[in-house]
Amino acid sequence: MLKNLVKIRLSALLYSMFGKRYSMSSVSKPKKILIALVTVYIVSMLLFSMGTMMYPLAAPLSEAGLGWLYFSVAALFASVFSIMGSVFTVHKEIFDAADNELLLSLPIPYAYILASRLIIIVVLEYMYAGVVMIPAVVVYAVKGVGLSAQGIISLIIATALLLLLVLTIGTILSWIISLVISRLRAKAFVTTILMFGFIGLYLWFYNFLSRYANKLITQGHSLADTVKKALPPIYSFGMAVAESGATGLLHLGLFALWSLIPFAVAYILLSRSFLRLATAGKVTAGKAYKRRELKVSSSFGALVRKELNRFFTLPIYILNCALGSVFMLIIAGYAVMRLDRIMEIVAYFPEGNSLIAPIFCLALGYCALLNNTAAPSLSLEGKALWILKAHPIRPEDVYRAKIACNLIITLPFVVISGIVLAVVLPVGALEKALILIVPTIITFFTATFGMAANILFPRFEWINETMVVKQSASVLIAVLGGIAIAAALVFIFIPVQKFISPVLYLVLCALAFFAASLALYRWIMTKGVERFKNMG
């Protein structure tokens, strides 16, 4: 019974990642190659980024006899990475799963249902932990003293135990989150804030480790004493991996106790209260109905409100398609507070002052490219697309509303950040204007580009919105296309700067994006409309 439940959950996991085609049997060879290349690229970048963080620590700590501290740091980072990546998955799988009532109606022990969900979460955590532990081990083998056979076996066992401890902590956090958001009316808003908070906490922790890498090298022994006293489970993990003989086995046993006892207690409590947790009614703040005059608006206005309502009620939509707005405000804020530091960096380059406007235009433009809400907007209609087609609504208005939603969400941040930068940065009047104009035009291009990509690659069959927002082809094209466009602007500027000024280059870029936006918009309103009639 448990085996079958795990298979079902694993199939659902694969479907949520790849849709019905996860077996790859019906995918053409070129698409298989493209998927493989994109997967290799993403995984390689993740492994490389983690490896570069651990690289400076391996040799100094191993030479100082603190190899255990190296693996303790890796375990700590893997724990944080896994918790950040899986805490909302735990909430969805255990406390808010859509099929809880269906499974509970069947003659299946509650403990089996819970165990199948926890096993899938552990599989995901293995993926997150592997992103940290694999490069850490490779770097240690290259720069450190390497691991013995006992150390490798202990590393595998200790990592498995670590994930049980991480699962316990993640479950507690998810339970707290579930209690908080279940009693609020603005669930989507609170969930979004929590997601941004976890992302911010992860970035802070990553920056913290990067900044304190030198302290780990120069003050390793004093920090080692702190880790022993403050984080005994992490200390035992490092000792179990780095030490051989009886000492390593002793600490492996201690770490097993640190991991298994909290997990066993949490599992027993969850299994005994799973029925109550899974069937508990969601308590929400009530709102008294007030009679108001009904307002009449155009179909276009109604469609825009529908798009905005969908955006602001889907936290995963906001998280994946609005981060650029946050980054714009961060860039503008950094320019205000650290203008002296920016000018110091610019001074290192020949004629650096002439590069200020292109750099910030590129930064804001790239952030605008990240805000591609139009890319998944058509696919999010899902099986309800027929409702739009059944109403007397012009396809042109449907597309315009989705493009307008992208502009409404992004343009205010472009304008605010552009005005702040134009006031703060010591550049000429034309450059100040371009800092505002170029990202604005790129925003129009982003909306039309994402809309065109979704028209060409719609995906209407999905289990949840995450499949569309994070894993659909149109979003992938929009994201990778944005990265490619930003990189192309830099690589083109490097050779042509000898012949044209940075200001002229910005003007040409603005004209190119403007022409591309018009061409895409015309295609959407002609060929795209024809495709809309045959969709669904």
Side-chain angles (χ1 to χ4, degrees), residues 327-407:
F327 292 151
M328 288 181 202
L329 297 179
I330 292 173
I331 291 170
Y334 185 83
V336 172
M337 295 184 293
R338 299 300 302 274
L339 181 61
D340 54 342
R341 176 59 179 162
I342 293 173
M343 299 309 296
E344 289 177 7
I345 297 173
V346 170
Y348 285 110
F349 299 93
E351 300 181 1
N353 288 336
S354 64
L355 298 176
I356 294 176
I359 288 172
F360 281 95
C361 279
L362 175 64
L364 291 185
Y366 179 69
C367 291
L369 288 166
L370 292 178
N371 276 21
N372 208 324
T373 62
S377 60
L378 186 60
S379 297
L380 284 172
E381 298 295 340
K383 296 179 180 179
L385 180 66
W386 68 271
I387 298 176
L388 284 178
K389 300 180 73 173
H391 283 73
I393 300 173
R394 299 170 64 226
E396 292 90 337
D397 287 339
V398 175
Y399 289 151
R400 289 193 186 101
K402 296 180 183 300
I403 293 173
C405 177
N406 203 148
L407 298 178

Side-chain angles (χ1 to χ4, degrees), residues 294-320:
L294 294 178
K295 296 181 179 180
V296 180
S297 65
S298 64
S299 59
F300 174 75
L303 288 171
V304 171
R305 287 195 297 274
K306 180 179 79 72
E307 294 296 324
L308 291 173
N309 181 66
R310 172 185 288 151
F311 176 80
F312 287 110
T313 54
L314 288 178
I316 196 68
Y317 201 2
I318 300 173
L319 187 65
N320 283 271

Side-chain angles (χ1 to χ4, degrees), residues 163-176:
L163 297 181
L164 296 181
L165 180 60
V166 167
L167 179 60
T168 304
I169 298 171
T171 302
I172 294 172
L173 289 175
S174 299
W175 178 68
I176 295 173

Side-chain angles (χ1 to χ4, degrees), residues 41 366 369-370 478-488:
Y41 171 78
Y366 179 69
L369 288 166
L370 292 178
V479 172
L480 296 182
I483 295 173
I485 290 169

Side-chain angles (χ1 to χ4, degrees), residues 459-513:
R459 181 180 184 180
F460 299 115
E461 295 184 4
W462 39 266
I463 295 177
N464 53 58
E465 293 85 357
T466 303
M467 296 174 61
V468 178
V469 176
K470 294 178 70 71
Q471 298 148 6
S472 59
S474 59
V475 173
L476 183 64
I477 292 171
V479 172
L480 296 182
I483 295 173
I485 290 169
L489 293 176
V490 175
F491 288 122
I492 293 173
F493 177 70
I494 292 173
V496 303
Q497 64 176 326
K498 300 177 182 178
F499 309 101
I500 62 175
S501 67
V503 172
L504 179 57
Y505 183 74
L506 288 178
V507 172
L508 294 176
C509 287
L511 292 174
F513 277 111

Side-chain angles (χ1 to χ4, degrees), residues 27 76 124 126 388 455 500:
V27 181
L76 183 61
L124 288 175
Y126 261 111
L388 284 178
I455 293 170
I500 62 175

